[in-house]
Amino acid sequence: MTEQQAAQKSVDDLSLARAVAEAVCQIPAVLELSAGRFAREGTYGPGEFVRGVVLQRPTPDSLEVEVRVVLAEQALRSFPVQRDGHYSTQSGGPAGAGGSAGSQPQWRPHPSSASSGGSSSGSHALSLLELSEQIRTAVKRALAQAGQQPARMIHVFFDDVR
């Protein structure tokens, strides 16, 4: 198979960027993708722009992905989140998402946070490290579903919190 045939079989960058954007936007803590703070960043195609997802190909057989996001402030404050990235509450979701405003979320600390003096308030705010790992996992899944090889690097940028 020639390089040209291989390129035709692979997913084009615009479709790949759309798949990555969709996967990242499904993470509860991500409000939206950001086009960047100082320059418009994203993936460009004929008549289309996928903001917040930049695909770079340093070599023909490697891929690097940059993702720029705007986070939900409440995810950084107190909503309990399980390791798989889903909210864990007694009423089935955070207040404003089907739960009652007065219901108290139930959370069991991770073993590492229990021994390291984690919060005793009964809730767990996500750290930026946890969020970046959730985003990288979503990107990896989107690439795998699109039939792409894993990215050499996945860079995550937090452009804003609202």
Side-chain angles (χ1 to χ4, degrees), residues 12-41:
D12 67 288
D13 283 355
L14 201 54
S15 297
L16 191 56
R18 273 191 242 112
V20 167
E22 184 178 323
V24 170
C25 286
Q26 295 203 10
I27 296 170
V30 175
L31 286 179
E32 63 186 8
L33 293 171
S34 170
R37 307 242 337 134
F38 304 107
R40 190 169 182 213
E41 296 189 43

Short mmCIF file of all heavy atoms in Angstrom, two decimals, residues 12-41:
data_model
loop_
_atom_site.label_atom_id
_atom_site.label_comp_id
_atom_site.label_asym_id
_atom_site.label_seq_id
_atom_site.Cartn_x
_atom_site.Cartn_y
_atom_site.Cartn_z
N ASP A 12 -9.88 11.93 7.68
CA ASP A 12 -9.31 13.25 7.45
C ASP A 12 -9.28 14.03 8.77
O ASP A 12 -10.03 13.74 9.70
CB ASP A 12 -10.11 14.00 6.37
CG ASP A 12 -11.51 14.35 6.82
OD1 ASP A 12 -12.35 13.43 6.94
OD2 ASP A 12 -11.76 15.53 7.09
N ASP A 13 -8.39 15.02 8.84
CA ASP A 13 -8.19 15.76 10.09
C ASP A 13 -9.45 16.47 10.57
O ASP A 13 -9.69 16.56 11.77
CB ASP A 13 -7.05 16.77 9.92
CG ASP A 13 -5.69 16.11 9.99
OD1 ASP A 13 -5.62 14.88 10.26
OD2 ASP A 13 -4.69 16.80 9.77
N LEU A 14 -10.26 16.97 9.68
CA LEU A 14 -11.48 17.68 10.08
C LEU A 14 -12.45 16.72 10.77
O LEU A 14 -13.00 17.04 11.84
CB LEU A 14 -12.12 18.32 8.86
CG LEU A 14 -13.08 19.46 9.10
CD1 LEU A 14 -12.44 20.56 9.94
CD2 LEU A 14 -13.54 20.05 7.78
N SER A 15 -12.64 15.54 10.22
CA SER A 15 -13.52 14.54 10.85
C SER A 15 -12.95 14.09 12.19
O SER A 15 -13.68 13.91 13.16
CB SER A 15 -13.69 13.33 9.94
OG SER A 15 -14.33 13.69 8.75
N LEU A 16 -11.64 13.93 12.23
CA LEU A 16 -10.99 13.51 13.46
C LEU A 16 -11.13 14.59 14.53
O LEU A 16 -11.44 14.30 15.69
CB LEU A 16 -9.51 13.21 13.19
CG LEU A 16 -8.73 12.53 14.29
CD1 LEU A 16 -9.39 11.23 14.71
CD2 LEU A 16 -7.31 12.27 13.82
N ALA A 17 -10.95 15.85 14.16
CA ALA A 17 -11.11 16.95 15.11
C ALA A 17 -12.54 17.02 15.63
O ALA A 17 -12.77 17.28 16.82
CB ALA A 17 -10.72 18.28 14.46
N ARG A 18 -13.52 16.79 14.75
CA ARG A 18 -14.93 16.78 15.19
C ARG A 18 -15.17 15.68 16.20
O ARG A 18 -15.85 15.88 17.20
CB ARG A 18 -15.86 16.60 13.99
CG ARG A 18 -16.24 17.88 13.32
CD ARG A 18 -17.38 17.65 12.32
NE ARG A 18 -16.88 18.00 11.00
CZ ARG A 18 -16.66 17.17 9.99
NH1 ARG A 18 -16.93 15.89 10.10
NH2 ARG A 18 -16.18 17.60 8.85
N ALA A 19 -14.62 14.49 15.96
CA ALA A 19 -14.78 13.36 16.88
C ALA A 19 -14.15 13.65 18.24
O ALA A 19 -14.73 13.37 19.29
CB ALA A 19 -14.19 12.10 16.27
N VAL A 20 -12.96 14.25 18.22
CA VAL A 20 -12.28 14.61 19.47
C VAL A 20 -13.10 15.66 20.22
O VAL A 20 -13.32 15.56 21.42
CB VAL A 20 -10.84 15.11 19.20
CG1 VAL A 20 -10.25 15.78 20.42
CG2 VAL A 20 -9.97 13.95 18.73
N ALA A 21 -13.59 16.68 19.50
CA ALA A 21 -14.38 17.74 20.12
C ALA A 21 -15.63 17.18 20.78
O ALA A 21 -15.97 17.53 21.91
CB ALA A 21 -14.75 18.80 19.08
N GLU A 22 -16.31 16.29 20.09
CA GLU A 22 -17.53 15.69 20.64
C GLU A 22 -17.24 14.89 21.90
O GLU A 22 -17.95 14.98 22.89
CB GLU A 22 -18.18 14.79 19.59
CG GLU A 22 -19.50 14.21 20.03
CD GLU A 22 -20.14 13.36 18.95
OE1 GLU A 22 -20.04 13.71 17.77
OE2 GLU A 22 -20.75 12.33 19.31
N ALA A 23 -16.16 14.12 21.88
CA ALA A 23 -15.80 13.30 23.04
C ALA A 23 -15.44 14.17 24.24
O ALA A 23 -15.86 13.89 25.37
CB ALA A 23 -14.63 12.38 22.68
N VAL A 24 -14.68 15.22 24.02
CA VAL A 24 -14.26 16.10 25.12
C VAL A 24 -15.45 16.85 25.70
O VAL A 24 -15.57 17.01 26.92
CB VAL A 24 -13.15 17.06 24.64
CG1 VAL A 24 -12.87 18.13 25.68
CG2 VAL A 24 -11.88 16.28 24.34
N CYS A 25 -16.36 17.29 24.85
CA CYS A 25 -17.52 18.05 25.32
C CYS A 25 -18.50 17.20 26.12
O CYS A 25 -19.38 17.74 26.79
CB CYS A 25 -18.22 18.73 24.15
SG CYS A 25 -17.31 20.15 23.54
N GLN A 26 -18.36 15.88 26.10
CA GLN A 26 -19.23 15.02 26.88
C GLN A 26 -18.75 14.86 28.32
O GLN A 26 -19.46 14.30 29.15
CB GLN A 26 -19.36 13.67 26.20
CG GLN A 26 -20.05 13.83 24.87
CD GLN A 26 -20.71 12.58 24.39
OE1 GLN A 26 -20.82 11.60 25.10
NE2 GLN A 26 -21.16 12.62 23.16
N ILE A 27 -17.60 15.39 28.63
CA ILE A 27 -17.09 15.35 30.00
C ILE A 27 -17.87 16.39 30.81
O ILE A 27 -17.93 17.55 30.41
CB ILE A 27 -15.58 15.64 30.04
CG1 ILE A 27 -14.83 14.54 29.28
CG2 ILE A 27 -15.07 15.77 31.48
CD1 ILE A 27 -13.37 14.84 29.05
N PRO A 28 -18.48 16.01 31.93
CA PRO A 28 -19.34 16.94 32.67
C PRO A 28 -18.67 18.25 33.09
O PRO A 28 -19.33 19.28 33.12
CB PRO A 28 -19.74 16.13 33.92
CG PRO A 28 -19.58 14.71 33.53
CD PRO A 28 -18.46 14.67 32.53
N ALA A 29 -17.39 18.25 33.36
CA ALA A 29 -16.71 19.45 33.82
C ALA A 29 -16.37 20.42 32.69
O ALA A 29 -16.03 21.57 32.94
CB ALA A 29 -15.43 19.08 34.56
N VAL A 30 -16.49 19.98 31.44
CA VAL A 30 -16.16 20.83 30.29
C VAL A 30 -17.41 21.54 29.81
O VAL A 30 -18.38 20.91 29.38
CB VAL A 30 -15.54 19.99 29.15
CG1 VAL A 30 -15.31 20.85 27.91
CG2 VAL A 30 -14.24 19.35 29.61
N LEU A 31 -17.40 22.88 29.89
CA LEU A 31 -18.53 23.66 29.39
C LEU A 31 -18.51 23.76 27.88
O LEU A 31 -19.53 23.62 27.22
CB LEU A 31 -18.51 25.07 29.97
CG LEU A 31 -18.91 25.23 31.42
CD1 LEU A 31 -18.80 26.69 31.84
CD2 LEU A 31 -20.31 24.71 31.65
N GLU A 32 -17.32 24.03 27.33
CA GLU A 32 -17.18 24.18 25.89
C GLU A 32 -15.71 24.15 25.52
O GLU A 32 -14.84 24.23 26.38
CB GLU A 32 -17.81 25.49 25.42
CG GLU A 32 -17.14 26.74 25.99
CD GLU A 32 -17.86 28.03 25.62
OE1 GLU A 32 -18.96 27.97 25.05
OE2 GLU A 32 -17.31 29.09 25.92
N LEU A 33 -15.48 24.06 24.22
CA LEU A 33 -14.11 24.18 23.73
C LEU A 33 -13.82 25.65 23.50
O LEU A 33 -14.72 26.44 23.23
CB LEU A 33 -13.96 23.40 22.43
CG LEU A 33 -14.07 21.89 22.59
CD1 LEU A 33 -14.11 21.21 21.24
CD2 LEU A 33 -12.92 21.34 23.41
N SER A 34 -12.57 26.02 23.62
CA SER A 34 -12.15 27.41 23.47
C SER A 34 -11.30 27.56 22.22
O SER A 34 -10.48 26.70 21.92
CB SER A 34 -11.33 27.84 24.69
OG SER A 34 -10.73 29.08 24.48
N ALA A 35 -11.51 28.65 21.53
CA ALA A 35 -10.70 28.92 20.34
C ALA A 35 -9.36 29.55 20.69
O ALA A 35 -8.59 29.90 19.82
CB ALA A 35 -11.46 29.84 19.38
N GLY A 36 -9.07 29.67 21.97
CA GLY A 36 -7.79 30.22 22.39
C GLY A 36 -7.93 31.60 23.01
O GLY A 36 -8.92 32.28 22.78
N ARG A 37 -6.95 31.98 23.75
CA ARG A 37 -6.98 33.27 24.44
C ARG A 37 -6.41 34.39 23.60
O ARG A 37 -6.80 35.52 23.71
CB ARG A 37 -6.23 33.17 25.76
CG ARG A 37 -6.69 32.03 26.61
CD ARG A 37 -7.28 32.29 27.94
NE ARG A 37 -6.95 33.51 28.59
CZ ARG A 37 -7.88 34.28 29.17
NH1 ARG A 37 -9.14 33.93 29.12
NH2 ARG A 37 -7.54 35.36 29.80
N PHE A 38 -5.42 34.08 22.77
CA PHE A 38 -4.73 35.14 22.04
C PHE A 38 -4.82 34.98 20.52
O PHE A 38 -4.65 35.95 19.80
CB PHE A 38 -3.27 35.19 22.46
CG PHE A 38 -3.12 35.39 23.94
CD1 PHE A 38 -2.70 34.35 24.75
CD2 PHE A 38 -3.43 36.60 24.53
CE1 PHE A 38 -2.58 34.52 26.13
CE2 PHE A 38 -3.31 36.78 25.89
CZ PHE A 38 -2.89 35.74 26.69
N ALA A 39 -5.06 33.79 20.06
CA ALA A 39 -5.18 33.55 18.62
C ALA A 39 -6.26 32.50 18.41
O ALA A 39 -6.53 31.69 19.30
CB ALA A 39 -3.85 33.04 18.07
N ARG A 40 -6.89 32.53 17.26
CA ARG A 40 -7.95 31.57 16.95
C ARG A 40 -7.31 30.22 16.65
O ARG A 40 -6.65 30.06 15.62
CB ARG A 40 -8.76 32.08 15.77
CG ARG A 40 -10.00 31.29 15.55
CD ARG A 40 -10.90 31.98 14.56
NE ARG A 40 -12.10 31.19 14.43
CZ ARG A 40 -12.79 31.08 13.33
NH1 ARG A 40 -12.42 31.74 12.25
NH2 ARG A 40 -13.86 30.33 13.28
N GLU A 41 -7.51 29.26 17.55
CA GLU A 41 -6.88 27.95 17.39
C GLU A 41 -7.93 26.88 17.19
O GLU A 41 -8.94 26.86 17.87
CB GLU A 41 -6.02 27.63 18.61
CG GLU A 41 -4.86 28.61 18.75
CD GLU A 41 -3.87 28.18 19.81
OE1 GLU A 41 -3.56 26.98 19.86
OE2 GLU A 41 -3.43 29.04 20.56
#
